[in-house]
């Protein structure tokens, strides 16, 4: 199977979703609970006691605009954290030997398997987040008015705010855009390298790398590293993005059922015995 086949790729994607439907259902329920908690924490008190300067016995918002602003921030932060966590799960299914054997036995090319996992935990994960957010907001609009006060949907405010963020992203220039893409590639590379607890390990690795760069740059000879021009920064971003994608692909496509360090350790124990 040397070439990419779209029909086989779609069958592989369906196999991934159907074969792990319990896990994906649990993930979706977590999305729903998280968004409902974010929205509920903002709307519960106003739904029960109202808003405005006349409400003095309970802490509430001075006006409806401030309440919606707080809800937008809470939901946006939760959405971003869950999105980042999803990317770190891309290759978490390759941790055990049985999982790696099952992955290698799939009748598809490495490229098809690689792209299927990226699509599930990047695009489809984002779609599931949006659906869970809509359901959480609908639940709030159906239940919370029973407490005494009803408020309109949060979705128009979210759509307006996120559209403004998207416009800022597209018009912010290549420097900022490459930084966002580099962050995604760093999470993807961390997932391919670490697989289990990839988010924590990747964040710790990036922290150590940043600290090392600052220590090196603080030396007299390398102090100019702290003051690179925009063109140089963009070039470095492109190089790091290409390197991260290549490393992710190589780590997954050249995967071994038994990791090399484990096999070497077993051979050493046999020789000692």
């Amino acid at each position: 199977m040397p070439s990419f086949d779209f029909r086989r790729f779609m069958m592989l994607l369906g196999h991934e979703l159907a074969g792990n439907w319990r896990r994906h259902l649990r993930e979706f329920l977590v999305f729903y609970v998280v968004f409902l908690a974010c929205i509920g924490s903002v709307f519960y008190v106003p739904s029960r006691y109202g808003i405005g300067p006349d409400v003095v016995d309970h802490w509430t918002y001075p006006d409806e605009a401030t309440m919606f602003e707080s809800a937008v921030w809470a939901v946006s932060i939760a959405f971003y954290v869950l999105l980042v966590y999803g990317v770190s799960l891309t290759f978490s299914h390759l941790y055990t030997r049985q999982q790696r054997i099952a992955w290698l036995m799939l009748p598809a090319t490495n490229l098809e398997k690689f792209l299927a996992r990226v699509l599930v935990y990047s695009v489809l994960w984002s779609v599931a987040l949006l659906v869970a957010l809509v359901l959480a907001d609908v639940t709030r609009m159906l239940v919370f008015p029973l407490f005494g006060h009803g408020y309109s949907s949060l979705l128009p405010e979210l759509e307006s705010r996120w559209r403004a963020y998207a416009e800022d992203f597209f018009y912010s220039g290549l420097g900022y855009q490459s930084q966002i893409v580099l962050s995604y590639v760093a999470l993807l590379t961390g997932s391919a390298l670490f697989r289990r607890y990839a988010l924590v390990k990747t964040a710790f690795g990036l922290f150590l790398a940043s600290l090392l760069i600052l220590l090196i740059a603080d030396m007299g000879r390398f102090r100019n590293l702290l003051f690179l021009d925009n063109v140089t920064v963009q070039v470095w971003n492109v190089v790091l993005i290409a390197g991260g994608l290549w490393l992710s692909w190589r780590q997954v496509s050249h995967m071994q059922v038994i990791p090399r360090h484990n096999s070497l350790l077993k051979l050493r124990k046999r020789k000692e015995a």
Side-chain angles (χ1 to χ4, degrees), residues 23 27 84-104 110 114 117 121 185-203 246-262:
R23 175 179 178 178
E27 293 167 347
V84 168
Y85 180 66
V87 177
S88 70
L89 293 178
T90 304
F91 301 110
S92 60
H93 68 300
L94 300 176
Y95 184 72
T96 65
R97 184 175 64 178
Q98 290 77 11
Q99 290 173 330
R100 291 190 290 272
I101 292 175
W103 166 269
L104 293 173
N110 287 330
F114 182 88
R117 293 293 298 189
Y121 282 95
V185 173
L187 291 169
L188 188 67
T189 305
S191 179
L193 291 174
F194 303 119
R195 299 170 188 170
R196 193 177 188 184
Y197 307 122
L199 181 59
V200 176
K201 294 176 182 178
T202 303
W246 173 83
L247 183 59
S248 302
W249 164 251
R250 180 173 178 80
Q251 187 71 16
V252 175
S253 61
H254 292 75
M255 179 189 59
Q256 297 179 347
V257 175
I258 301 177
R260 186 174 300 176
H261 65 277
N262 289 345

Side-chain angles (χ1 to χ4, degrees), residues 163-178:
R163 178 185 295 180
Y165 292 158
E167 291 176 354
D168 291 340
F169 172 76
F170 285 113
Y171 293 107
S172 58
L174 292 177
Y176 180 73
Q177 295 171 4
S178 61

Side-chain angles (χ1 to χ4, degrees), residues 26-188:
R26 289 195 300 267
E27 293 167 347
F28 181 80
L29 292 177
V30 170
F31 301 161
Y32 174 75
V33 171
V34 169
F35 287 134
L36 188 60
C38 292
I39 297 174
S41 63
V42 174
F43 280 92
Y44 173 73
V45 175
S47 297
R48 188 171 183 181
Y49 302 105
I51 58 177
D54 296 334
V55 183
V56 295
D57 295 332
H58 305 276
W59 183 87
T60 185
Y61 296 93
D63 51 58
E64 191 169 329
T66 305
M67 180 182 64
F68 275 89
E69 179 78 14
S70 300
V72 167
W73 275 105
V75 170
S76 299
I77 292 173
F79 192 94
Y80 175 78
V81 171
L82 291 173
L83 194 63
V84 168
Y85 180 66
V87 177
S88 70
L89 293 178
T90 304
F91 301 110
S92 60
H93 68 300
L94 300 176
Y95 184 72
T96 65
R97 184 175 64 178
Q98 290 77 11
Q99 290 173 330
R100 291 190 290 272
I101 292 175
W103 166 269
L104 293 173
M105 293 296 292
L106 288 174
T109 63
N110 287 330
L111 179 60
E112 291 165 354
K113 290 184 282 190
F114 182 88
L115 293 179
R117 293 293 298 189
V118 171
L119 181 63
V120 168
Y121 282 95
S122 296
V123 179
L124 298 184
W125 182 278
S126 302
V127 173
L129 286 174
L130 292 174
V131 174
L133 175 57
V134 172
L135 290 179
D137 191 49
V138 170
T139 303
R140 190 267 308 170
M141 288 192 295
L142 291 175
V143 176
F144 278 36
L146 301 177
F147 299 142
H149 301 81
Y151 298 98
S152 60
S153 174
L154 179 65
L155 298 180
E157 185 69 23
L158 271 175
E159 189 271 339
S160 175
R161 185 62 58 86
W162 287 359
R163 178 185 295 180
Y165 292 158
E167 291 176 354
D168 291 340
F169 172 76
F170 285 113
Y171 293 107
S172 58
L174 292 177
Y176 180 73
Q177 295 171 4
S178 61
Q179 289 286 346
I180 299 297
V181 176
L182 180 60
S183 301
Y184 171 82
V185 173
L187 291 169
L188 188 67

